[in-house]
C-alpha cells in the first residue's frame, strides 16, 4: 500500500514497530532503520543495484529480518519543489515494490539529505573512500529521521 501523506502512513502502522528509510539512487540504495519506538534512525547498509527483482529481494529480506512495519522512500524533488524524472522513477519503484509486500510505503522529501550526510561525514573527518562507501545509507538515515520527527509530532 502506498500512502500519499504521512498522516495516512501513520494510521496504517502498528504501534511499537520499526521503520526503514531508503535513499534510492541509480547505482545504489541506502538503507536505514529505526528502533521500535521510532525515535532514532540508524544507517544500516548500502545495496548495490542490479535488477529490480534482486534489489527488491534484498530489501524485503531486511524488512522481514528486522520486522519492519513501514518503508519511507526518499523523494528527490527539484529545489523548486517540482517533480522531475527522478521522482517518476522513485514512484515507479514504490509501485513495483508495493506489489510484492503488504508493508505500507510513503515518501519523504529528500532535498539536501545527501548534502547533510556529506557535511556530517566531513565534520567527522571521514576519508573520501569511506565517505563514498557510507554516504547513501547515511543519507537514508537523514530521510528516515525527518519522517520519524514528523510522525512524533502528529
Amino acid at each position: 500500500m502506498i500512502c500519499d501523506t504521512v498522516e495516512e502512513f501513520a494510521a496504517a502502522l502498528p504501534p511499537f514497530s520499526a521503520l526503514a528509510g531508503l535513499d534510492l539512487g541509480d547505482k545504489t540504495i541506502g538503507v536505514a532503520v529505526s528502533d521500535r519506538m521510532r525515535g532514532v534512525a540508524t544507517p544500516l547498509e548500502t545495496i548495490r543495484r542490479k535488477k529490480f527483482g534482486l534489489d527488491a529481494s534484498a530489501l524485503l529480506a531486511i524488512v522481514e529480518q528486522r520486522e519492519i512495519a513501514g518503508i519511507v522512500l526518499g523523494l528527490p524533488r527539484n529545489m523548486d519543489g517540482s517533480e522531475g524524472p527522478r521522482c517518476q522513477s522513485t514512484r515507479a519503484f514504490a509501485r513495483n515494490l508495493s506489489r510484492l509486500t503488504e508493508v505500507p510505503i510513503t515518501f519523504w522529501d529528500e532535498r539536501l539529505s545527501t548534502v547533510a550526510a556529506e557535511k556530517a561525514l566531513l565534520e567527522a573527518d571521514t576519508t573520501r573512500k569511506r565517505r563514498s562507501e557510507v554516504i547513501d545509507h547515511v543519507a537514508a538515515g537523514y530521510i528516515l529521521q525527518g519522517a520519524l520527527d514528523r510522525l512524533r509530532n502528529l
Side-chain angles (χ1 to χ4, degrees):
M1 161 182 24
I2 296 178
C3 302
D4 292 321
T5 66
V6 174
E7 292 80 8
E8 186 183 332
F9 181 67
L13 296 172
F16 305 109
S17 55
L19 303 179
L22 305 180
D23 180 28
L24 194 65
D26 293 331
K27 297 178 181 166
T28 60
I29 302 171
V31 182
V33 295
S34 78
D35 58 302
R36 289 184 179 279
M37 296 298 291
R38 299 186 199 139
V40 179
T42 305
L44 181 66
E45 67 179 271
T46 298
I47 297 170
R48 294 271 165 223
R49 293 193 71 177
K50 296 175 179 91
K51 289 196 269 189
F52 174 78
L54 298 171
D55 300 343
S57 292
L59 289 172
L60 295 176
I62 292 169
V63 166
E64 185 177 330
Q65 176 186 13
R66 297 197 168 254
E67 299 175 357
I68 300 295
I71 297 172
V72 177
L73 195 53
L75 192 63
R77 293 182 187 271
N78 296 322
M79 289 308 290
D80 66 1
S82 64
E83 293 190 12
R86 289 187 59 222
C87 282
Q88 292 171 353
S89 173
T90 300
R91 289 187 185 281
F93 183 90
R95 279 192 305 275
N96 292 333
L97 188 61
S98 72
R99 292 182 187 119
L100 303 175
T101 182
E102 295 295 315
V103 172
I105 300 170
T106 196
F107 301 100
W108 188 257
D109 188 344
E110 72 165 40
R111 282 180 282 187
L112 301 178
S113 63
T114 302
V115 173
E118 181 85 24
K119 183 178 179 195
L121 290 168
L122 284 169
E123 288 174 1
D125 202 27
T126 311
T127 66
R128 181 174 295 172
K129 181 179 186 299
R130 183 68 180 143
R131 279 196 312 269
S132 71
E133 293 169 356
V134 302
I135 189 73
D136 295 313
H137 58 273
V138 172
Y142 274 89
I143 292 165
L144 181 56
Q145 190 63 55
L148 293 173
D149 292 346
R150 177 70 179 107
L151 287 168
R152 194 174 316 111
N153 290 309
L154 285 179

